[in-house]
Amino acid sequence: MTTALPIGPVAGPAQDGGPVVAAAAVAKQYGSGDGVVHALRGVDLTVRRGEFVAIMGPSGSGKSTLMHLLAGLDGPTSGSILLGGRQIAGLGDAQLTALRRDRIGFVFQAFNLVPTLDVLGNVLLPFELRGRGPSRDERAFIDRLLDELGLTDRLHHRPRELSGGQQQRVAIARALAGRPDLVVADEPTGNLDSRTGREVLRLLAGASSRHGRAVVMVTHDPVAASHADRVVLLADGRIVAEHGRMTAEAVATAMLGLEDGR
Amino acid sequence: MSAVATASRERRRRRSEDDGPGHASGIAVAALASAFGVALLQGTGLIAAAVGADPVTGSSGTVAVLLRLTGLVFVVIAVYASAVVTTNTFAVVVAGRVRMIALRRLLGATAAAERRAVAREGLLVGAVGAAIGLVAGTAAVAALFGAGRALGALDGTAWSPADPIALVPAVGVLLTTWLAARIGSRRVLAVTPMQALGGAEEASEEETRASRVRSMIALVLVVLGAGLLAVGIGIGSTDASGLLIAFAGGVVSFNGIVLGAHLVIPRTLRLVGRLTGSSPTARLAAENAVRHPVRSTRSTVGLLVSVTLVTTFGVAIRTFGDMITAASGADPLYYAGVDAALNLVTAVFSVLIGFSAVIAGAGLVHSLSLGVLQRTRELGLLRALGFTVQGLRRMVLAESGQLVMTAVVLGLLLGTVYGWAGAHAMLGASPGMPGLLFIGVPWVLVAVVVAGGLLLTAVASVAPSRRATRVSPVQALGAD
Ligand SMILES: Nc1ncnc2c1ncn2[C@@H]1O[C@H](COP(=O)(O)OP(=O)(O)OP(=O)(O)O)[C@@H](O)[C@H]1O
Ligand SMILES: [Mg+2]
């Protein structure tokens, strides 16, 4: 199984685009009274067009929570989140649903595909949820995407007939098919071997560098983080460090430092 | 509502769902069947006593025996329906517990012991349900008796609730529930300790693939039954005893159909599913309905049984009545007075058999709920991708409608055939009867059945759809 590096048409100038998502002083609490959990305690983070950001940190530091908020899966307790210039903190469920459908692509660690739909059905699902099929132009883009992901001869297979790596590629195809502004990925390589994982990372990197998507990835793996343009370290609900591109070793050292400091 | 409140509610809800669906609906089904059976037998006992006290009709002891026998037939129907439903209920309970069972297996429990534990629960569920039914059914008839006496309608009627025959349905329900739990818990044996370690992939309910043998037996029963039906109708044209043979044919062939339902129902489900349209909601619903063919089949069969029976009696009685009306021109005296009785019988029978639809409905709710429960993550995924809450609601409704309408359509077809056969086997021999193609369709009853189906579709989807819409998109992410 060899997959060429991505991909398709270069969607305009990829580097130093405008902000896609901007979080300011974002806090999130779960529960109340004695049992209150401060998952995030004031986070500022901006992710630009064409940028691939990795979020790292010890378990329970708030990585997933932050990602959920950026993707409109949940609302912050306080603070502001601008997605494409629009305030999404405080939006109702229906508006957030429409927002996710139209502007955000998701890649999950597991359970990322609808088991009753075949590969093509899964990839086209976001379009169907928008209430219209893909246009001719979009369809051509999707076909190229599927081709480059090596999925063309798998279009009518069900997810359970695919390997984990193939499933994850389908999920990536689905996340990119609708050309969303923001792609979020929660430990996308968590269930994959290192070679397949690397492939997935290259795809995500390509989505940002060549397609101009903003990509936010949560990961525990220093190697995965080394593929990102920027590494954000979270601890105890706060951003404690931000780095540019880092080697896996540097990431590992930084992580160790965090854990020792606790 | 604050996000904080939502989150804590979420936590609580998740905890309560960890054990999977419980035994409430199993007990409800057993209690319904038992209450129905007990009330029916106590009721026929009361009627027999009342008839016996009447100087005109009381001379014939056969009335009492006939009443009891007819009552027993309905009891058997209800107990049968509840057994079918309970089997599914337990399969569903086990499917919801796979992880728990796997964990216990991992810690050293044997598969057989785990299964015995589930069967024991079945015995308990059956005992509780049967007891509730025994009390409730007897109390209902006693109340009727009391009311009748108060109105002076039952003067001279001696009736006592301590009637041993009333124990028959209760014991029947107890035993069939136990048996159904044993059958439904077969799946426990297939749970491996590995499943406690694996990812959170939907508890794959590896459907025990229906064996060839089973299909063969089903086919043989259907063919044999159809043959008997034909013979019964044939004899019926010369001799009234044809009814017995036709009845046997009906029972045999219908059991064949139930046994072979796994061949017919998934296909019909697919067909009905195609009719619901091609929106993503409808397509996903259609796929879900056939995702677990065995489970869908079982949850549909209960309803199929009751729709078929209601239709059978409705068509039989209507055809019977129409034939008599047609024939009474030939010999009016012979048939005088039968008509009023027929109308009463139709109404009573429809209500009596229709009750099994309530039992089947309880099972339907249970299996729809489990479907939703097992798909929690998938539903979260759909929400994350942009499925609206209304979309989920429509999906569950479509799924429910597919199951119900499949049962209704098949049941109406089968019941029409059986009803027609029954009427002809019974009356064909009598003078002046119209030909074999004569059939009376009780349109009112058909309309009521369809309307009941629509109502059931909506009612059965309420709880599962509430559960589905409470799934938050966050649940699709992370390993949790
Ligand atoms: N729904 C919830 N209700 C209550 N507390 C929650 C909820 N979700 C997360 N938390 C808490 O918020 C904190 C941050 O959780 P989060 O899932 O964001 O951590 P994480 O960095 O993703 O950890 P991991 O690396 O283990 O996935 C943790 O203390 C967690 O227990
Ligand atoms: Mg996490």
Side-chain angles (χ1 to χ4, degrees):
Chain A
M1 175 191 68
T2 52
T3 307
L5 272 179
I7 310 176
V10 176
Q15 249 61 48
D16 60 282
V20 168
V21 63
V26 164
K28 176 74 179 177
Q29 297 166 10
Y30 290 108
S32 56
D34 290 344
V36 68
V37 176
H38 295 273
L40 293 177
R41 313 166 184 259
V43 168
D44 302 292
L45 178 69
T46 300
V47 185
R48 297 175 179 281
R49 236 175 95 71
E51 205 177 20
F52 181 12
V53 176
I55 300 179
M56 298 199 73
S59 188
S61 56
K63 304 181 295 295
S64 297
T65 304
L66 177 59
M67 208 193 71
H68 297 164
L69 299 183
L70 296 180
L73 286 165
D74 203 352
T77 310
S78 66
S80 127
I81 298 171
L82 298 176
L83 185 78
R86 179 170 172 214
Q87 181 62 254
I88 66 166
L91 285 189
D93 181 73
Q95 285 161 305
L96 283 179
T97 300
L99 190 100
R100 291 195 301 267
R101 198 181 61 201
D102 297 335
R103 318 195 64 158
I104 296 171
F106 291 93
V107 181
F108 310 108
Q109 175 177 359
F111 262 103
N112 28 28
L113 303 175
V114 179
T116 48
L117 295 179
D118 61 14
V119 167
L120 192 62
N122 267 287
V123 172
L124 294 181
L125 189 58
F127 287 97
E128 300 201 340
L129 292 177
R130 291 175 192 178
R132 59 171 184 86
S135 66
R136 180 108 67 78
D137 174 45
E138 286 164 332
R139 188 57 218 239
F141 172 72
I142 291 168
D143 285 343
R144 262 200 317 276
L145 199 61
L146 289 169
D147 185 35
E148 281 153 18
L149 289 167
L151 293 168
T152 307
D153 52 356
R154 295 288 186 163
L155 293 185
H156 298 292
H157 287 74
R158 297 284 166 106
R160 83 177 93 82
E161 298 161 342
L162 303 177
S163 73
Q166 287 166 333
Q167 288 190 33
Q168 199 59 305
R169 275 186 276 150
V170 176
I172 291 176
R174 184 189 57 205
L176 299 182
R179 302 197 236 201
D181 300 325
L182 176 66
V183 175
V184 296
D186 197 350
E187 302 191 35
T189 58
N191 282 343
L192 301 176
D193 67 36
S194 55
R195 198 173 69 92
T196 323
R198 234 175 2 254
E199 216 170 279
V200 163
L201 290 163
R202 275 195 226 114
L203 291 169
L204 288 174
S208 64
S209 66
R210 307 190 54 177
H211 290 261
R213 310 276 97 90
V215 180
V216 176
M217 169 179 74
V218 167
T219 181
H220 281 288
D221 176 9
V223 176
S226 70
H227 287 252
D229 303 322
R230 192 146 63 98
V231 180
V232 174
L233 294 181
L234 218 58
D236 208 13
R238 290 194 182 87
I239 292 182
V240 291
E242 279 200 61
H243 302 271
R245 192 171 274 280
M246 290 170 95
T247 63
E249 291 73 29
V251 176
T253 313
M255 286 291 293
L256 275 177
L258 267 188
E259 275 156 25
D260 289 346
R262 270 152 66 86
Chain B
M1 181 180 36
S2 75
V4 173
T6 317
S8 68
R9 213 178 33 148
E10 170 105 336
R11 279 275 144 126
R12 232 175 301 131
R13 182 177 58 73
R14 268 199 233 174
R15 213 178 3 250
S16 73
E17 279 176 4
D18 281 345
D19 309 332
H23 287 305
S25 62
I27 291 176
V29 166
L32 280 172
S34 162
F36 173 77
V38 170
L40 197 59
L41 290 190
Q42 293 279 30
T44 50
L46 176 58
I47 295 172
V51 170
D54 187 304
V56 184
T57 51
S59 51
S60 152
T62 49
V63 174
V65 176
L66 260 176
L67 266 174
R68 278 282 156 101
L69 277 180
T70 325
L72 264 179
V73 170
F74 289 110
V75 171
V76 169
I77 291 170
V79 172
Y80 178 73
S82 82
V84 170
V85 171
T86 307
T87 307
N88 201 31
T89 308
F90 270 87
V92 157
V93 164
V94 169
R97 280 194 206 159
V98 165
R99 288 205 123 204
M100 194 57 215
I101 294 171
L103 188 60
R104 295 161 60 100
R105 295 272 287 111
L106 190 70
L107 299 178
T110 67
E114 286 298 301
R115 183 180 181 186
R116 265 199 307 279
V118 175
R120 253 199 315 276
E121 285 174 41
L123 196 60
L124 201 67
V125 165
V128 172
I132 293 174
L134 187 61
V135 172
T138 304
V141 175
L144 200 69
F145 182 57
R149 295 201 80 153
L151 294 174
L154 292 174
D155 287 342
T157 300
W159 177 79
S160 151
D163 186 343
I165 291 188
L167 287 174
V168 171
V171 172
V173 165
L174 173 65
L175 293 180
T176 52
T177 304
W178 185 35
L179 188 72
R182 273 201 69 77
I183 297 173
S185 64
R186 245 180 335 204
R187 163 89 183 113
V188 171
L189 300 179
V191 176
T192 69
M194 283 302 292
Q195 276 166 289
L197 308 172
E201 178 88 38
E202 169 186 347
S204 77
E205 188 181 350
E206 186 216 339
E207 309 285 9
T208 40
R209 193 160 304 146
S211 67
R212 262 206 153 77
V213 181
R214 181 179 172 156
S215 307
M216 282 308 297
I217 294 177
L219 191 68
V220 168
L221 287 181
V222 169
V223 171
L224 192 74
L228 281 175
L229 265 179
V231 171
I233 295 170
I235 294 179
S237 63
T238 57
D239 187 296
S241 72
L243 181 63
L244 273 180
I245 298 171
F247 181 73
V251 170
V252 168
S253 63
F254 191 58
N255 270 301
I257 287 168
V258 169
L259 198 65
H262 62 281
L263 300 173
V264 185
I265 287 181
R267 266 162 238 205
T268 317
L269 277 171
R270 233 173 272 270
L271 217 75
V272 173
R274 223 164 283 156
L275 297 179
T276 56
S278 64
S279 70
T281 320
R283 276 207 345 250
L284 286 173
E287 285 297 330
N288 284 326
V290 292
R291 192 169 188 166
H292 299 291
V294 173
R295 193 202 293 169
S296 305
T297 300
R298 282 213 208 96
S299 44
T300 314
V301 157
L303 200 56
L304 174 65
V305 171
S306 42
V307 174
T308 304
L309 289 172
V310 167
T311 315
T312 300
F313 280 100
V315 169
I317 291 169
R318 171 47 55 89
T319 306
F320 184 91
D322 286 0
M323 285 168 88
I324 286 173
T325 313
S328 51
D331 192 355
L333 273 181
Y334 184 55
Y335 297 106
V338 177
D339 208 43
L342 281 185
N343 285 338
L344 183 70
V345 168
T346 309
V348 172
F349 276 23
S350 298
V351 171
L352 290 184
I353 312 166
F355 194 81
S356 61
V358 175
I359 296 174
L364 197 66
V365 173
H366 193 60
S367 86
L368 279 173
S369 293
L370 180 84
V372 166
L373 185 71
Q374 284 187 327
R375 279 187 283 144
T376 301
R377 286 176 158 271
E378 184 185 327
L379 296 174
L381 169 68
L382 291 174
R383 293 280 288 119
L385 293 180
F387 233 78
T388 58
V389 169
Q390 293 92 303
L392 288 191
R393 216 173 271 143
R394 271 200 305 273
M395 187 169 85
V396 175
L397 191 68
E399 227 173 294
S400 165
Q402 225 172 311
L403 294 173
V404 171
M405 282 308 144
T406 295
V408 166
V409 168
L410 284 179
L412 283 176
L413 287 175
L414 281 173
T416 305
V417 172
Y418 284 137
W420 163 82
H424 281 276
M426 182 141 65
L427 278 187
S430 312
M433 283 302 153
L436 205 55
L437 290 180
F438 188 87
I439 185 166
V441 178
W443 291 112
V444 175
L445 187 73
V446 172
V448 169
V449 167
V450 172
L454 293 176
L455 186 71
L456 181 60
T457 298
V459 171
S461 74
V462 170
S465 119
R466 189 177 310 140
R467 180 171 271 181
T469 53
R470 272 188 328 209
V471 172
S472 90
V474 173
Q475 279 172 285
L477 292 121
D480 200 22

